[in-house]
């Protein structure tokens, strides 16, 4: 085969970078493109229930496998996906958004086509996406089409940001040389400027030589930009106390002897707060310092000796090194420190939360504080744990993760319902890596109502996630911020345990858990511990019950949103 259709070329390239499932919805401007997916062995079309869910699913898939692809149709489809794409941009997630657009001849004639604004402007939606994309491209020249496809896939993977790729409908069956597939896309990082990299390593080493109480904080981009191993090695070679942020949960092995817990500013445990804020050198890896990630910006470092490691720059105290990538700096730094004898005496790390009281009577009603700490006993190495914005994303900080556990939570963008779509993509990805890998969702009853249809996609593909629904009768996080009795924070109650059969499941399990004893019995069951079927578990909780950290965060958020914030 000397030539290959452009549409098939796209999907062959995606398969080469590890994408085996493509998310999205069909529309008349992408249907011929989707035909080409079925020509590629090992590729599948998820067929999501709406474009927003598809964007969330692609985001979840990419967080597990490094990059994802979503296909939508022009106008109505691509705009429905943009909230999810914005979240991927905000949180550094590599998603290739492929849009089937009207043919070049239709555009040239400015035809009054459906899915347009009726004004002959065929570029307006592309311009919208450009603001939330690392880069964009619309194929207009067959001679450069393959290179543009390759460039877009590489950019999504390297920069961990969404990329927009528009392909006119008349290009899908254009021929490209099939030999182009023989040379794979180069996904390696370009080397740093040697002089700038050497300067960074030298300065950080000098700071470590002088420090008496250095610490390490690992954040979200340590995971997104693939430096978890290097971060672990840095902890080993320096023996510094090490902490995660809420967005960085899981980036450091929580069973490591130098791991000290979650730092979230004023909302931290007192001993964690004291250890972090009294440090005389802070090595901050992959930070995304948003309000919910910092206790509403309540970091109170006592030192100005702060080193920030980022994917595309370094910052050492007040000096910034543009273009210097943290991955290479960390590798060099670890090598350098292996032969250094650092003067600091490794400080004690804060002790973890004590385990729950096992003597609590079985009839005791479930409460969030107990639940999240108890969850540690159910998790196993390699789990993927997805928590929704709200009580789940705050409560999970009290859970101890086993080694190699991936936490997924949209702390920065915080789009309610995100986790209900992300669990679908993450479960597809987990199945491709290891069918025994468990994917465990925690989502509130309010959040579920925004994206519940995606359960249908998981049933369709016989996926086996655990779907834990926290039923506290409404939007608890909103109630904690403002309007605890307000009607707008109420929802229509659903019979959650009927959802799986409503969406067509025939092999499934459902449970309702409301007491300590019921939780223990269920999670200790050996059969339940294996992901042998799709399961929905409804957890009954009091309306205003919430993790302590969320209650405190709610008060901080209300203060920031109040009129008093703007008074001098």
């Amino acid at each position: 085969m000397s030539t290959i259709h452009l549409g098939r070329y796209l999907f062959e390239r995606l398969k080469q970078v590890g994408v085996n499932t493509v998310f999205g919805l069909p529309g008349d401007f992408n249907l011929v493109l989707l035909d080409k997916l079925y020509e590629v062995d090992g590729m599948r079309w998820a067929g999501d229930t709406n474009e927003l869910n598809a964007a969330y699913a692609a985001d979840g898939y990419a967080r597990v496998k490094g990059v994802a692809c979503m296909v939508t149709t022009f106008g109505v489809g691509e705009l429905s996906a943009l909230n999810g794409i914005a979240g991927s941009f905000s949180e550094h997630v590599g998603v290739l958004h492929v849009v089937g657009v009207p043919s070049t001849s239709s555009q040239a004639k400015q035809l009054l086509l459906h899915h347009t604004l009726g004004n002959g402007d065929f570029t307006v939606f592309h311009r919208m996406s450009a603001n939330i994309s690392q880069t964009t491209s619309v194929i207009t020249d067959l001679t450069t089409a393959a290179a543009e496809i390759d460039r877009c896939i590489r950019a999504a993977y390297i920069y961990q940001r969404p990329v927009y790729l528009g392909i006119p409908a008349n290009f899908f069956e254009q021929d490209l040389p099939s030999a182009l597939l023989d040379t794979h896309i180069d996904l390696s990082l370009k080397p740093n400027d040697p002089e700038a990299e050497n300067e960074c390593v030298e300065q950080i080493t000098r700071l470590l030589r002088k420090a008496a109480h250095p610490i390490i904080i690992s954040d979200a981009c340590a995971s997104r930009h693939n430096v978890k191993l290097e971060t672990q090695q840095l902890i080993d070679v320096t023996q510094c106390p090490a902490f995660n942020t809420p967005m960085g949960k899981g980036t450091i092995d929580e069973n490591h002897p130098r791991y000290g817990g979650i730092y979230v500013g004023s909302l931290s445990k007192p001993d964690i707060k004291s250890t972090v804020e009294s440090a005389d050198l802070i090595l901050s890896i992959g930070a995304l310092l948003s309000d919910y990630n910092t206790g509403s910006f309540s970091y109170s470092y006592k030192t100005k000796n702060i080193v920030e490691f980022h994917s595309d720059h370094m910052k050492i105290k007040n000096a910034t090194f543009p273009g210097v990538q943290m991955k290479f700096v960390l590798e060099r730094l670890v090598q350098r420190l292996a032969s250094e004898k650092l003067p600091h005496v490794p400080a004690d790390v804060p002790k973890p939360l004590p385990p729950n009281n096992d003597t609590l009577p079985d009839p005791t009603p479930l409460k969030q504080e107990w639940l999240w700490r108890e969850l540690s006993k159910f998790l196993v190495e390699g789990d993927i744990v997805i928590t929704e914005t709200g009580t789940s994303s705050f409560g999970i900080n009290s859970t101890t993760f086993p080694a190699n556990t991936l936490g997924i939570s949209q702390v920065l963008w915080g789009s309610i319902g995100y986790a209900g779509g992300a669990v679908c993509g993450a479960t597809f990805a987990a199945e491709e890596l290891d069918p025994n890998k468990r994917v465990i969702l925690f989502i509130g009853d309010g959040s579920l109502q925004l994206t519940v249809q995606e359960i249908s996609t998981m049933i369709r593909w016989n996926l086996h996630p655990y779907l834990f629904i926290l039923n506290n009768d409404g939007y608890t996080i909103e109630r904690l911020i403002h309007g605890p009795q307000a009607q707008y924070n109420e929802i229509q109650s659903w019979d959650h345990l009927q959802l799986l059969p409503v969406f067509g499941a025939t092999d499934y399990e459902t449970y309702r858990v409301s007491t300590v004893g019921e939780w223990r019995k269920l999670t200790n069951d050996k059969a339940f511990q294996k992901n042998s079927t799709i399961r929905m578990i409804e957890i009954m909780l009091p309306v205003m019950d919430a993790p302590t950290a969320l209650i405190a965060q709610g008060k901080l958020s209300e203060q920031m949103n109040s009129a008093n914030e703007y008074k001098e």
Side-chain angles (χ1 to χ4, degrees):
M1 186 171 60
S2 60
T3 62
I4 186 172
H5 285 157
L6 182 149
R8 179 172 178 180
Y9 179 88
L10 168 67
F11 295 120
E12 292 281 5
R13 278 307 207 196
L14 287 166
K15 182 183 176 184
Q16 287 179 350
V17 300
V19 174
N20 299 103
T21 301
V22 176
F23 302 90
L25 274 81
D28 59 338
F29 293 124
N30 67 27
L31 295 177
V32 175
L33 173 63
L34 297 185
D35 286 339
K36 307 306 171 187
L37 180 144
Y38 295 98
E39 298 175 8
V40 181
D41 289 340
M43 293 291 281
R44 61 181 165 183
W45 171 247
D48 302 276
T49 51
N50 61 57
E51 287 86 358
L52 177 58
N53 282 358
Y56 291 155
D59 184 294
Y61 184 95
R63 293 190 195 218
V64 177
K65 295 197 75 177
V67 68
C69 178
M70 172 180 59
V71 179
T72 64
T73 197
F74 179 74
V76 292
E78 58 183 309
L79 293 193
S80 292
L82 287 198
N83 177 29
I85 291 294
S88 297
F89 185 87
S90 173
E91 301 220 346
H92 290 248
V93 182
V95 175
L96 179 68
H97 183 189
V98 179
V99 180
V101 305
S103 68
T104 50
S105 62
S106 295
Q107 294 187 50
K109 296 173 184 176
Q110 294 189 313
L111 298 180
L112 196 64
L113 294 181
H114 61 288
H115 299 344
T116 72
L117 299 178
N119 60 2
D121 185 353
F122 288 89
T123 66
V124 60
F125 309 127
H126 175 201
R127 298 199 307 272
M128 291 180 183
S129 284
N131 294 287
I132 50 174
S133 300
Q134 173 67 30
T135 187
T136 69
S137 180
V138 177
I139 302 296
T140 57
D141 183 351
L142 189 62
T143 62
T144 59
E148 280 297 278
I149 290 171
D150 293 357
R151 181 182 71 85
C152 288
I153 293 173
R154 183 181 191 279
Y157 181 88
I158 292 293
Y159 296 106
Q160 286 299 295
R161 299 275 200 178
V163 170
Y164 180 100
L165 175 61
I167 307 178
N170 58 310
F171 272 77
F172 300 145
E173 294 190 314
Q174 295 290 326
D175 288 332
L176 297 174
S178 57
L180 292 171
L181 292 172
D182 295 340
T183 303
H184 286 207
I185 300 172
D186 181 7
L187 298 179
S188 62
L189 298 175
K190 294 180 179 178
N192 287 331
D193 174 75
E195 187 175 342
E197 183 178 288
N198 288 337
E199 178 67 16
C200 288
V201 173
E202 287 299 324
Q203 286 198 30
I204 299 167
T205 302
R206 284 198 293 269
L207 287 170
L208 278 164
R209 286 175 185 153
K210 296 177 182 178
H213 303 291
I215 65 156
I216 294 169
I217 300 178
S218 180
D219 209 334
C221 285
S223 177
R224 306 286 199 281
H225 293 280
N226 194 28
V227 295
K228 289 198 293 186
L229 174 61
E230 292 81 1
T231 301
Q232 197 83 19
Q233 291 171 337
L234 183 64
I235 297 167
D236 290 337
V237 77
T238 63
Q239 288 296 294
C240 292
F243 304 86
N244 283 324
T245 66
M247 286 186 72
K249 183 169 176 63
T251 58
I252 298 173
D253 180 356
E254 298 186 10
N255 299 283
H256 192 286
R258 304 307 295 161
Y259 176 68
I262 300 285
Y263 177 65
V264 56
S266 63
L267 305 184
S268 309
K269 280 176 56 198
D271 54 350
I272 293 175
K273 187 175 187 297
S274 174
T275 303
V276 170
E277 295 177 1
S278 63
D280 58 0
L281 173 61
I282 295 169
L283 305 181
S284 172
I285 301 174
L288 282 175
L289 302 180
S290 69
D291 51 353
Y292 278 16
N293 205 34
T294 62
S296 288
F297 313 111
S298 59
Y299 279 20
S300 298
Y301 299 151
K302 301 293 190 296
T303 181
K304 294 182 179 179
N305 293 329
I306 301 171
V307 179
E308 295 181 17
F309 297 76
H310 295 284
S311 62
D312 57 0
H313 72 281
M314 293 286 299
K315 186 175 181 183
I316 302 175
K317 299 181 71 172
N318 293 322
T320 300
F321 296 80
V324 178
Q325 302 156 101
M326 64 179 170
K327 189 172 184 69
F328 296 126
V329 173
L330 284 165
E331 289 174 351
R332 286 278 311 284
L333 186 61
V334 167
Q335 292 172 359
R336 175 65 180 273
L337 295 175
S339 59
E340 285 273 338
K341 184 166 178 59
L342 296 175
H344 71 268
V345 177
D348 292 337
V349 298
K351 294 181 179 179
L353 287 168
N356 280 328
N357 181 2
D358 283 336
T359 62
L360 208 61
D362 281 352
T364 305
L366 278 177
K367 293 287 188 70
Q368 297 237 11
E369 286 290 339
W370 185 91
L371 173 68
W372 294 111
R373 285 160 69 178
E374 194 71 10
L375 175 62
S376 308
K377 300 176 183 178
F378 175 66
L379 299 182
V380 298
E381 182 171 353
D383 280 348
I384 298 171
V385 182
I386 304 171
T387 50
E388 178 61 72
T389 298
T391 59
S392 301
S393 62
F394 280 82
I396 199 66
N397 293 331
S398 299
T399 304
T400 300
F401 279 180
N404 301 315
T405 299
L406 175 62
I408 296 177
S409 187
Q410 202 188 55
V411 175
L412 173 51
W413 186 242
S415 185
I416 299 294
Y418 159 81
V423 65
C424 178
T427 310
F428 272 116
E431 182 195 61
E432 292 166 10
L433 294 172
D434 178 1
N436 295 315
K437 182 179 284 290
R438 306 191 310 179
V439 180
I440 303 167
L441 168 70
F442 288 91
I443 188 169
D445 54 341
S447 299
L448 178 69
Q449 295 196 4
L450 279 76
T451 48
V452 67
Q453 310 99 306
E454 207 56 22
I455 293 174
S456 175
T457 307
M458 293 185 282
I459 292 170
R460 176 185 182 186
W461 286 98
N462 194 32
L463 302 179
H464 297 162
Y466 294 79
L467 309 174
F468 286 91
I469 314 302
L470 307 185
N471 188 340
N472 44 21
D473 198 24
Y475 296 118
T476 295
I477 185 172
E478 313 292 10
R479 285 171 168 153
L480 290 169
I481 295 172
H482 185 77
Q485 306 300 326
Q487 187 270 337
Y488 51 70
N489 284 329
E490 298 176 1
I491 62 171
Q492 171 63 34
S493 295
W494 285 1
D495 187 348
H496 293 108
L497 301 191
Q498 293 302 314
L499 288 173
L500 294 181
V502 161
F503 286 123
T506 55
D507 180 7
Y508 64 92
E509 295 175 9
T510 59
Y511 305 89
R512 182 172 287 116
V513 178
S514 58
T515 68
V516 165
E518 290 169 348
W519 173 270
R520 289 170 176 154
K521 180 180 179 182
L522 180 63
T523 56
N524 287 329
D525 185 286
K526 296 297 183 183
F528 181 81
Q529 293 169 4
K530 296 179 180 178
N531 62 336
S532 55
T533 189
I534 188 169
R535 296 181 173 94
M536 180 170 286
I537 307 96
E538 184 176 35
I539 302 175
M540 309 304 293
L541 296 162
V543 173
M544 293 298 290
D545 180 48
T548 302
L550 178 55
I551 295 171
Q553 179 65 63
K555 294 176 181 177
L556 293 174
S557 295
E558 183 171 33
Q559 291 168 9
M560 292 188 70
N561 295 338
S562 71
N564 293 329
E565 175 73 9
Y566 301 96
K567 293 180 180 178
E568 294 185 4

